[in-house]
């Protein structure tokens, strides 16, 4: 894939209207940009297999797959999902604007297009995007395992080291998934609730996931200057003395064989590890939510854990191959 690290900024325009393409291409070319063109969503995705632009200017309404679906697919491509997408639209209704942001757009301009305004917006977004890319590059080079969270508690981006450790301890994600493993999301949601109740994030213990070859410690860090909340991951390997300490969070055993779960308890734990609620588990297994809750009480005692999230992470790590095959 061609990298756009030279001084001239590369903009990919995706629009099926020749007049718009000509007008925008002329304006961007005069302002010193390198302009690439695609006339529909599929050809834009094909171009992104070979180039990484600094910004994508995307028409919302096109034949074939529209701009919203095109943006959603772009954000599933790891090599270009960091590239800012600005929508061009004549749809100024709130629902369309909101939809653009939901699929990953960072801004929109309304038609009829005003070239000077578009050029100014593009310049501002590219400068911001390059600063973010530089920050990511520093983190990658330092081999930090960091997951940055959005305001909704979902990940916005993560370093490659974080992705490697998540897959090692929780299993491979579904193709195209940008979400955290279900069991980790359960734990994170609990921590965010505790934060809203006034607890200091710095005083909350980390989550500790244990495999035979080591442990993964996951800490929720509060927002600071220039960044939001984030997850910091640290892997510890070696003998028992080098692993968990008393002040660490719940440590999950690598094997369930000694826990003597009943088949029904194993079923409940399996679905808990997939992020299901008590009501979901009850519907799946054909029992009442109250019965599910009773099974969970027994599971917590047998596993030696105190929280739902600790049990969920254990179920997830075992299903990923980190210990007993009981849940597979």
């Amino acid at each position: 894939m061609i990298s756009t690290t030279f001084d001239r900024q590369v903009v990919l325009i995706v629009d099926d209207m020749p007049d718009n393409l000509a007008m925008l291409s002329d304006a961007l070319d005069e302002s010193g940009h390198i302009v690439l063109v695609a006339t529909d969503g599929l050809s834009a995705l094909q171009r992104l297999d070979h180039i990484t632009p600094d910004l994508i200017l995307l028409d919302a309404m096109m034949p074939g797959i529209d701009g919203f679906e095109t943006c959603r697919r772009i954000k599933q491509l790891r090599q270009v999902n960091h590239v800012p997408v600005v929508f061009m639209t004549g749809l100024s209704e709130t629902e369309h604007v909101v939809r653009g942001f939901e699929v990953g757009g960072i801004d929109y301009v309304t038609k009829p297009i005003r070239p000077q305004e578009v050029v100014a917006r593009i310049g501002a977004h590219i400068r911001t995007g390059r600063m973010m890319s530089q920050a990511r590059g520093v983190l990658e080079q330092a081999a930090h395992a960091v997951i940055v969270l959005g305001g909704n508690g979902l990940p916005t981006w993560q370093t490659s080291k974080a992705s490697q450790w998540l897959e090692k301890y929780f299993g491979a994600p579904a193709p195209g998934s940008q979400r955290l493993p279900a069991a980790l999301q359960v734990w994170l949601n609990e921590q965010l609730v505790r934060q809203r109740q006034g607890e200091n994030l710095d005083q909350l213990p980390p989550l500790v996931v244990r495999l035979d070859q080591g442990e993964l410690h996951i800490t929720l860090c509060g927002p600071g200057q220039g960044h939001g909340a984030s997850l910091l991951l640290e892997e510890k390997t070696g003998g028992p003395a080098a692993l968990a300490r008393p002040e660490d969070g719940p440590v999950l055993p690598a094997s369930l064989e000694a826990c003597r779960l009943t088949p029904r308890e194993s079923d409940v734990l399996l679905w808990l590890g997939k992020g299901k609620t008590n009501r979901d588990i009850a519907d799946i297994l054909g029992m009442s939510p109250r019965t599910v809750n009773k099974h969970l009480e027994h599971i917590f005692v047998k596993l030696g854990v105190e929280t739902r999230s600790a049990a969920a992470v254990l179920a997830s790590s075992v299903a990923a191959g980190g210990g007993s095959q009981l849940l597979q």
Side-chain angles (χ1 to χ4, degrees):
M1 178 170 291
I2 299 172
S3 175
T4 61
T5 56
F6 34 80
D7 291 335
R8 294 184 67 190
Q9 300 159 343
V10 178
V11 177
L12 172 62
I13 306 174
V14 189
D15 197 329
D16 64 311
M17 301 297 292
D19 290 344
N20 285 342
L21 287 173
M23 177 179 59
L24 289 168
S25 294
D26 289 344
L28 289 168
D29 186 64
E30 290 177 4
S31 62
H33 296 81
I34 294 175
V35 180
L36 305 174
V37 171
T39 56
D40 57 62
L42 289 178
S43 61
L45 293 168
Q46 291 171 355
R47 299 216 70 171
L48 292 173
D49 285 336
H50 306 286
I51 58 97
T52 302
D54 292 289
L55 183 137
I56 300 170
L57 194 57
L58 179 61
D59 187 24
M61 303 304 296
M62 296 182 294
I65 62 171
D66 62 18
F68 302 118
E69 175 62 16
T70 301
C71 185
R72 188 187 69 80
R73 296 190 189 185
I74 289 171
K75 295 304 175 181
Q76 292 180 345
L77 301 174
R78 178 169 295 183
Q79 70 272 22
V80 293
N81 61 12
H82 64 282
V83 176
V85 176
V86 176
F87 277 99
M88 298 181 292
T89 177
L91 308 173
S92 57
E93 291 86 352
T94 299
E95 62 182 286
H96 296 122
V97 174
V98 170
R99 186 180 177 193
F101 286 117
E102 286 177 342
V103 296
I106 63 166
D107 200 358
Y108 71 98
V109 293
T110 55
K111 298 181 178 179
I113 296 297
R114 295 180 288 274
Q116 288 184 334
E117 176 185 337
V118 173
V119 170
R121 286 177 180 267
I122 285 175
H125 287 306
I126 288 178
R127 287 191 295 273
T128 301
R130 286 194 166 182
M131 286 190 291
M132 290 295 296
S133 294
Q134 290 172 353
R136 292 189 186 104
V138 170
L139 285 172
E140 293 285 4
Q141 292 174 5
H144 286 172
V146 177
I147 302 172
V148 176
L149 305 173
N152 56 2
L154 299 176
T156 58
W157 67 273
Q158 60 197 38
T159 63
S160 57
K161 178 64 73 175
S163 300
Q164 293 170 12
W165 284 347
L166 286 182
E167 182 170 342
K168 177 179 178 180
Y169 284 85
F170 293 94
S177 175
Q178 301 296 318
R179 295 182 174 272
L180 295 173
L184 177 55
Q185 190 68 59
V186 170
W187 174 83
L188 175 60
N189 291 343
E190 289 185 2
Q191 307 314 300
L192 294 174
V193 168
R194 295 174 67 177
Q195 179 196 22
R196 294 189 189 101
Q197 293 173 342
E199 294 191 47
N200 188 339
L201 284 183
D202 294 335
Q203 297 177 352
L204 296 178
L207 176 67
V208 181
V209 186
R210 175 176 288 173
L211 295 180
D212 291 338
Q213 63 270 43
E215 292 178 351
L216 182 65
H217 292 228
I218 305 175
T219 304
L220 176 60
C221 303
Q225 185 174 3
H227 65 85
S230 58
L231 294 173
L232 180 62
L233 287 67
E234 180 183 7
E235 186 178 44
K236 299 185 178 182
T237 58
L243 298 177
R245 301 161 298 176
E247 63 268 26
D248 288 327
V251 179
L252 307 180
S255 173
L256 293 180
E257 293 176 351
C259 297
R260 300 186 180 279
L261 298 182
T262 68
R264 213 53 170 162
E265 289 168 351
S266 296
D267 291 339
V268 170
L269 183 58
L270 170 65
W271 289 109
L272 178 66
K274 295 181 181 294
K276 301 299 183 182
T277 65
N278 284 16
R279 185 167 294 279
D280 292 335
I281 297 172
D283 292 339
I284 293 169
L285 298 180
M287 60 180 67
S288 69
R290 184 174 181 180
T291 301
V292 173
N293 192 57
K294 278 294 183 183
H295 282 308
L296 287 175
E297 290 178 2
H298 297 156
I299 290 169
F300 291 172
V301 172
K302 291 181 178 181
L303 299 186
V305 299
E306 297 181 356
T307 67
R308 180 187 187 89
S309 60
V313 176
L314 174 57
S316 179
S317 63
V318 169
S324 168
Q325 304 301 307
L326 184 60
L327 298 183
Q328 297 187 351

